[in-house]
Amino acid sequence: MATQTKTKSNSNSTTSHGPEGLVERAVEVSRGAGHSYLDAAQWVGDQIAEFQKSIGEASQVELVSSAARTQAEVTRDLVDAYVSAGRKMIG
């Protein structure tokens, strides 16, 4: 049994590659989670902008329509800037 424990210990150290391997893997997982978050933020921002745009198109008042379209554009621009900056930071 002592031999089995030693074998398990050796196999664990070769798969994890020591502390550096664990840190490297944690960074990769965190980077992937960050990209997933930014993808979700982009999708939500696009949905909000589309909703704002549809409200503007449904309005019978030109001032309201224009304001809603402008708000949709601003929302898209802000989300794009946020996501772009986040992707640059993540790498």
Side-chain angles (χ1 to χ4, degrees), residues 24-74:
E24 198 171 292
R25 180 69 181 136
V27 168
E28 289 174 20
V29 168
S30 298
R31 186 172 286 134
H35 282 292
S36 294
Y37 170 79
L38 291 171
D39 290 342
Q42 180 79 49
W43 184 82
V44 168
D46 287 342
Q47 295 298 310
I48 291 170
E50 282 300 313
F51 180 69
Q52 291 168 335
K53 183 180 169 187
S54 68
I55 288 173
E57 291 172 351
S59 175
Q60 300 296 325
V61 180
E62 181 56 34
L63 181 62
V64 173
S65 296
S66 177
R69 284 191 304 269
T70 301
Q71 181 62 37
E73 291 174 19
V74 169

Side-chain angles (χ1 to χ4, degrees), residues 1-10:
M1 290 215 159
T3 306
Q4 288 178 347
T5 305
K6 187 175 183 180
T7 304
K8 285 182 183 178
S9 176
N10 288 341

